[in-house]
Amino acid sequence: MNTKLWSPWFIENSKIPVWLSKLAPINIWAISFGLWVWCRGELSKTTRRHETIHFQQQLEMGFVFQWIAYGLFWLIGLVKYRDGAVAYRENPFEREAYDNERKFTYLEKRKRFAWVAYINPKAT
């Protein structure tokens, strides 16, 4: 069973990103959580790839552990940068997704735990 080819279920035109944006330091267009990706509108191929990268990160870490690590990296970034939006963008999970969302074959070639290379901001 090749889990690298698995994708989440995409739910377009959802209010969930709108509601979560009221709590978040950023305006959320789409969010991957568990087996689902919710999007405010229609998902572009780039956004689908970005969110599928997050889905793969969650799969390899057993979902809950990725959510905990994501939160810890964000909190560390918040202390370091004193800006929630910068902390979001500098999170290694986001850095991997943004760096590779436009690479058409990235998901097929992606090595497990590729996000680890993004922990050190100067490493990539």
Side-chain angles (χ1 to χ4, degrees):
M1 172 172 10
N2 188 358
T3 58
K4 289 176 80 170
L5 301 178
W6 289 8
S7 294
W9 288 316
F10 297 100
I11 303 166
E12 297 177 313
N13 302 308
S14 172
K15 296 289 184 205
I16 290 175
V18 176
W19 299 330
L20 291 174
S21 291
K22 295 177 192 285
L23 304 171
I26 60 164
N27 190 21
I28 299 170
W29 173 252
I31 186 166
S32 176
F33 192 79
L35 302 175
W36 304 273
V37 170
W38 292 278
C39 183
R40 287 178 182 236
E42 293 183 21
L43 284 150
S44 68
K45 289 181 181 181
T46 299
T47 304
R48 282 181 184 268
R49 196 171 302 109
H50 179 104
E51 297 302 331
T52 302
I53 291 168
H54 287 317
F55 173 73
Q56 287 294 319
Q57 292 165 345
Q58 292 174 52
L59 270 178
E60 67 199 13
M61 293 187 70
F63 293 98
V64 173
F65 295 110
Q66 192 271 348
W67 304 330
I68 292 168
Y70 190 106
L72 289 173
F73 281 119
W74 184 81
L75 286 172
I76 291 166
L78 185 61
V79 169
K80 182 176 181 178
Y81 303 111
R82 303 207 183 280
D83 183 322
V86 174
Y88 156 79
R89 188 60 193 225
E90 290 300 317
N91 189 311
F93 296 110
E94 292 300 339
R95 293 179 71 238
E96 179 195 4
Y98 279 112
D99 277 0
N100 298 291
E101 68 187 8
R102 296 190 184 281
K103 297 177 182 171
F104 300 114
T105 60
Y106 180 72
L107 285 161
E108 292 83 32
K109 296 178 181 179
R110 179 184 181 270
K111 291 183 169 49
R112 287 290 178 212
F113 297 92
W115 61 270
V116 171
Y118 291 86
I119 291 174
N120 179 357
K122 297 182 191 316
T124 58

